[in-house]
Every structure is written in C-alpha cells, then in structure tokens.
Amino acid sequence: ASIKMGSGHVMRCLTLAEALKRKDTRVEFICREHEGNLISLINGKGVIVHKVPVTYQEKSDSDHSSWLGATWQEDAKAVQKVLKKVAADWLVVDHYALDVQWERQLRPLVKKIMVIDDLADRRHDCDLLLDQNFYLNKEDRYKGLVSEGCVRLLGPDYALLREEFSRARKNLKSHSGQIKRILIFFGGSDPSNETGKTLDAIQQLGNKELHTDIIIGQSNPNRSALKTQIKSMPNTRIYHQVDNMADFMVK
C-alpha cells in the first residue's frame, strides 16, 4: 500500500488472511515501507509484518513497475531473505509490478504460489490465480499468461469480501428511489482529491435535507482540507479508516 497505489491490495489480502486464520493457518505479510503504507493497520490485526525498505520513490505515472520502490531483482532478494526464515507452504502475491520473472526466483522456497491480479497484462508462474472482477471474456483473458495446470478463480463469485458484507446483505431493504443519503469513498488514498471535488458538486445542489457520509483511508493526504471543507455542510460527516463499510453502504 502507498499514497499512489492506494490500499486495496492490502485490504483484500487482509480479508484472505482473516479467512485463513479461521482455518488455523499462520499468516505473515511482507510489505515495503512506502509513504502511506498500512503496516501498523496489519499489525493491529495481530498479523506479523516483515518490513522491506524503499530503494527509490514511486513515480507519478501509470507504469506499474515504478510502484515497487525497487527493481524486481532487489525485491525478489528481499523476499527470499524472509522466506528462508519462514517456512511457507503458500506465497500469495498481489502487486501489479511483479510477474513471472520474480515468481520464478521465489518458486524454490515455497510449495505453491498464488497470484491475485486483474490486469491480465503479464505472464505468471503460479499454481492458483484469482481475478475477482467481472469480464465478458474472463475465461480467455489469461490464456498464454499462466500454465495450463494453473487453477483459475475468475469472476465475482470469488470476490474477497469480509463477512460483514454477507451479514449486511441479509438486512438489505429495497430502495424507494428517493435520494436522502450519499456515501463518498474514493479508496484508501485519493491523491487527486476526488472526494473534495464531489463535495463541491454536492454543495452546488443546495439540498439542505441531504445527508453525506465521507469515508477516507489512512493514506489520504487531504484529511485536514476535507475537515475544513465540510464545516459549511451541517449534514456531512467524515469517517476515517472504518471497519464497517457494509453498514455505511446499507444506509
């Protein structure tokens, strides 16, 4: 996780980790110490985190390789050091900058490799691949990118959702169609402050009966500015790094 990368990768891995822990599986994380990392959040869940230092700062472009904070070779060596100390059955990797080259370096140190991906833009050496997104051509997206023997879990049936969403769905009421409440959430980081832009638009509506809930993540760099912005919006509240997202969505 980082300001540029957001928090989604960590949050979905934490969801998987919590499910595995309920099956008496020991889970540990390896995280790079980017600005906006969520290492303290993971620690707070009672999970050990092996920290890896940043070699260079992320760049502000769409090249995912620049998100790594190191070369893939440096990253592979850092992970190798951890895996030599930790006897791991499975290595789960969730990072758009890593591919088959990195995975082959780690293959001798683990029994199985799982990759979480949704770009389908590079090759992988993995035993299990998860892409939880909806695509019309989901069965064809990874042809030639993984081996024939790789188990592919594709589509929303395999979405990594916390248990709170299943519980909340049972209490879901049909919607009247009248808009009384708006939920704003642009991920754990939101470096371009889409949250602030949305608040500007809501203010222009001039609807004093409208209630607005804003959720921001731990990595959001605009927290102070947003608190100032909502002072003139009496029915608007900001919530920080919540654990009950489903409750807000049900509202």
Side-chain angles (χ1 to χ4, degrees):
S2 71
I3 290 175
K4 294 186 179 68
M5 205 184 317
S7 62
H9 298 275
V10 164
M11 298 311 292
R12 63 188 180 188
C13 284
L14 268 176
T15 299
L16 178 59
E18 291 296 326
L20 289 169
K21 284 168 66 180
R22 289 195 292 272
K23 299 287 186 181
D24 295 323
T25 304
R26 180 170 55 86
V27 182
E28 300 183 16
F29 275 63
I30 304 173
C31 294
R32 194 169 291 280
E33 296 178 292
H34 293 292
E35 183 182 0
N37 70 71
L38 294 178
I39 292 171
S40 61
L41 176 71
I42 302 168
N43 281 149
K45 302 285 185 181
V47 179
I48 293 172
V49 181
H50 302 273
K51 302 174 187 177
V52 181
V54 173
T55 304
Y56 61 76
Q57 295 301 313
E58 300 168 280
K59 299 173 185 174
S60 299
D61 56 32
S62 59
D63 178 14
H64 295 117
S65 64
S66 70
W67 290 7
L68 194 55
T71 65
W72 72 262
Q73 294 94 333
E74 289 171 331
D75 194 80
K77 286 180 181 177
V79 176
Q80 282 172 340
K81 285 183 181 178
V82 175
L83 290 178
K84 285 174 181 176
K85 300 175 188 174
V86 178
D89 296 304
W90 281 84
L91 172 64
V92 180
V93 54
D94 185 350
H95 203 301
Y96 295 153
L98 301 175
D99 61 9
V100 63
Q101 298 178 98
W102 184 94
E103 291 145 9
R104 283 176 178 167
Q105 294 295 312
L106 282 303
R107 171 66 76 180
L109 296 172
V110 293
K111 293 179 182 177
K112 302 277 187 179
I113 295 176
M114 173 183 177
V115 167
I116 301 174
D117 190 24
D118 41 47
L119 298 180
D121 64 349
R122 62 207 189 282
R123 290 173 60 222
H124 291 292
D125 175 15
C126 60
D127 304 280
L128 177 66
L129 181 133
L130 168 65
D131 183 341
Q132 57 192 353
N133 293 276
F134 176 79
Y135 292 100
L136 293 175
N137 65 332
K138 64 179 182 180
E139 300 298 335
D140 299 324
R141 292 184 79 233
Y142 290 93
K143 279 188 177 177
L145 299 180
V146 295
S147 68
E148 289 296 319
C150 174
V151 176
R152 301 171 215 187
L153 306 181
L154 306 174
D157 285 347
Y158 301 101
L160 291 170
L161 288 173
R162 298 191 298 275
E163 279 191 336
E164 63 171 282
F165 288 94
S166 299
R167 291 194 299 268
R169 186 170 178 80
K170 294 173 184 174
N171 301 319
L172 201 60
K173 298 174 183 176
S174 58
H175 201 281
S176 66
Q178 187 177 0
I179 305 300
K180 297 178 181 178
R181 191 174 211 105
I182 292 177
L183 172 64
I184 303 173
F185 177 59
F186 281 97
S189 179
D190 189 19
S192 58
N193 198 19
E194 303 307 313
T195 304
K197 297 172 190 175
T198 306
L199 284 174
D200 284 338
I202 290 172
Q203 272 188 302
Q204 289 177 40
L205 293 174
N207 184 346
K208 294 181 180 180
E209 302 301 315
L210 197 62
H211 288 258
T212 305
D213 296 318
I214 306 162
I215 296 175
I216 60 172
Q218 190 169 301
S219 305
N220 192 304
N222 309 300
R223 188 175 178 181
S224 297
L226 290 170
K227 283 186 174 181
T228 301
Q229 189 173 359
I230 67 166
K231 284 181 179 177
S232 59
M233 302 176 72
N235 295 329
T236 301
R237 293 187 66 185
I238 289 182
Y239 301 88
H240 182 242
Q241 198 64 49
V242 303
D243 286 326
N244 60 332
M245 178 68 82
D247 292 337
F248 284 93
M249 294 177 77
V250 166
K251 288 180 184 178

